[in-house]
Amino acid sequence: MALSRRARSHRTVDYWPGFVDALSTLLLAIMFLLSVFVLAQFLLSREISGKEDVLNRLNSQINELTQLLALEKSGKQDLEDSLASLQASLSTSESERSRLQALLSQGSGSADTANQRVGELTGQLESERQTSARALSQIDLLNQQIAALRAQIAAVESALQASEAKDATSQTKIADLGRRLNVALAQRVQELNRYRSDFFGRLREILSDRENIRIVGDRFVFQSEVLFPSGGNELNPAGQEEMAKLAMALIDLAKEIPPEIDWVLRVDGHTDNVPLSGNGRYADNWELSSARATSVVKFLISRGVPADRLVAAGFGQYQPIAPGDTKEARDQNRRIELALTEK
């Protein structure tokens, strides 16, 4: 007797994996949509990362061009200062030449000395004019280089602005994609809940006269005695009648549910905690609960319900809804549960 109680205690502690399995089906659609969202965000993040590398290279080129422009401006300023100095010297030479020519015309001083001085000054003036011309040529060249650098900087800035605009567009697309995924997910859940409510409402109308058929949470619960003989998995006449009503309701509902909602009717078999002898057709409660759920599914298929909209699962005695070892608790735990959910 003590060994039997320890075995029952061990089996009762083990109900958690079955509970996780019952919830996993409902979460598959949500996980799929979130996976699509994460994948889209990952791809867009990679594209944005590439754009950031391009932006860094463009910023580096702008810095190099800015430094080169500063050097060119500095060289231009030096040439302009040199040109100003040459022009000042040229002005001085021209003043001296004018003065000497004036003296020569007045006959003062030595004519030869004056002519020699005039020749020297004329040579200096010509040399300074050539130097000034070269300086002006260099200034023109620098101006052209500066204009080219400014054009390059403008092109780089335009490319940078275009890249920043594309980056902003990508961020907007990511936000919009997340919003649309959330909206689509909420709509799918709302639609499934609405059709689940319609389905339960129809079953209430069809099965309202049976006391041993009830609703627990989001499931319709049939006591096993309504559908099966004791220890068996073959539907009795009363059970076939109830399942025929259920099949008609399912076929009508399938015509209304949009094809994009991937729904299924889950049929779960449960037993009480009384172990089987092992000498009969079934070795344990696992096999009995699975056979009963499969029997219901096969009957519904025979009445026209699409096979791809049905799921059978057996839970044995490990998902009780009434605790304890009393006769009333065992009666409640022997049951078939129906739940309308997504794949």
Side-chain angles (χ1 to χ4, degrees):
M1 185 66 178
L3 180 59
S4 175
R5 283 198 297 270
R6 284 196 298 272
R8 287 198 298 272
S9 175
H10 177 70
R11 289 193 296 269
T12 303
V13 172
D14 206 19
Y15 78 95
W16 176 252
F19 177 73
V20 174
D21 178 67
L23 290 179
S24 62
T25 302
L26 181 60
L27 295 177
L28 283 177
I30 296 174
M31 292 174 63
F32 175 74
L33 292 174
L34 290 178
S35 299
V36 172
F37 172 69
V38 169
L39 179 60
Q41 190 172 19
F42 172 73
L43 294 176
L44 290 174
S45 299
R46 288 185 57 188
E47 182 179 358
I48 292 172
S49 176
K51 295 300 183 296
E52 289 177 353
D53 294 337
V54 173
L55 290 176
N56 291 333
R57 290 196 299 270
L58 291 175
N59 287 328
S60 177
Q61 292 179 1
I62 288 175
N63 291 332
E64 293 176 359
L65 292 173
T66 302
Q67 294 175 359
L68 184 59
L69 180 60
L71 292 174
E72 294 292 345
K73 287 182 177 179
S74 176
K76 178 183 177 182
Q77 185 63 40
D78 292 338
L79 289 175
E80 288 177 348
D81 293 340
S82 176
L83 179 60
S85 176
L86 290 174
Q87 288 176 344
S89 177
L90 179 61
S91 178
T92 303
S93 298
E94 288 178 346
S95 299
E96 183 66 15
R97 178 183 177 185
S98 299
R99 187 181 66 81
L100 291 174
Q101 286 179 345
L103 291 175
L104 181 60
S105 61
Q106 293 175 1
S108 60
S110 173
D112 294 335
T113 302
N115 288 330
Q116 183 180 1
R117 182 61 176 166
V118 169
E120 292 175 355
L121 291 174
T122 301
Q124 292 178 0
L125 180 60
E126 185 63 26
S127 176
E128 290 175 355
R129 284 178 176 174
Q130 292 177 359
T131 302
S132 178
R134 288 194 300 271
L136 289 173
S137 177
Q138 291 179 357
I139 290 174
D140 290 338
L141 179 61
L142 286 174
N143 286 332
Q144 293 176 2
Q145 293 176 351
I146 290 172
L149 288 174
R150 286 175 177 172
Q152 291 179 4
I153 291 174
V156 171
E157 289 178 348
S158 298
L160 182 61
Q161 291 175 356
S163 180
E164 290 175 348
K166 190 172 182 180
D167 181 49
T169 302
S170 298
Q171 294 291 346
T172 303
K173 288 181 178 178
I174 291 174
D176 183 62
L177 177 60
R179 181 184 60 79
R180 286 188 291 174
L181 285 174
N182 291 333
V183 171
L185 182 60
Q187 289 176 348
R188 290 285 295 278
V189 172
Q190 290 176 358
E191 289 181 1
L192 183 61
N193 288 336
R194 178 168 63 85
Y195 290 111
R196 184 185 291 119
S197 299
D198 292 344
F199 175 64
F200 279 3
R202 294 179 186 181
L203 288 186
R204 286 192 190 97
E205 294 176 359
I206 295 173
L207 307 174
S208 60
D209 57 339
R210 301 302 298 266
E211 295 180 356
N212 48 9
I213 300 175
R214 64 189 188 280
I215 296 176
V216 178
D218 62 345
R219 298 166 179 263
F220 246 92
V221 179
F222 291 78
Q223 295 307 127
S224 294
E225 289 76 8
V226 178
L227 306 176
F228 304 101
S230 178
N233 74 311
E234 299 295 334
L235 286 168
N236 56 36
Q240 292 181 7
E241 181 181 354
E242 301 299 339
M243 290 299 104
K245 297 176 183 178
L246 173 64
M248 293 176 59
L250 271 175
I251 293 172
D252 291 340
L253 184 67
K255 298 176 182 178
E256 301 177 9
I257 299 179
E260 61 268 15
I261 297 180
D262 199 8
W263 64 274
V264 292
L265 180 70
R266 178 168 170 167
V267 181
D268 296 338
H270 299 268
T271 67
D272 57 25
N273 59 358
V274 177
L276 300 181
S277 64
N279 298 324
R281 182 176 180 181
Y282 303 106
D284 52 31
N285 285 325
W286 280 112
E287 292 186 6
L288 177 59
S289 63
S290 299
R292 285 179 170 178
T294 303
S295 179
V296 171
V297 166
K298 289 182 177 180
F299 181 83
L300 293 175
I301 293 173
S302 70
R303 291 305 179 99
V305 178
D308 61 343
R309 297 298 185 184
L310 297 170
V311 176
F315 291 88
Q317 71 269 27
Y318 299 109
Q319 295 291 329
I321 58 175
D325 290 330
T326 64
K327 180 180 182 303
E328 291 76 10
R330 289 193 291 269
D331 290 343
Q332 293 184 44
N333 291 332
R334 292 191 302 272
R335 67 197 189 277
I336 293 292
E337 293 186 354
L338 304 176
L340 189 68
T341 182
E342 282 192 289
K343 289 184 180 179

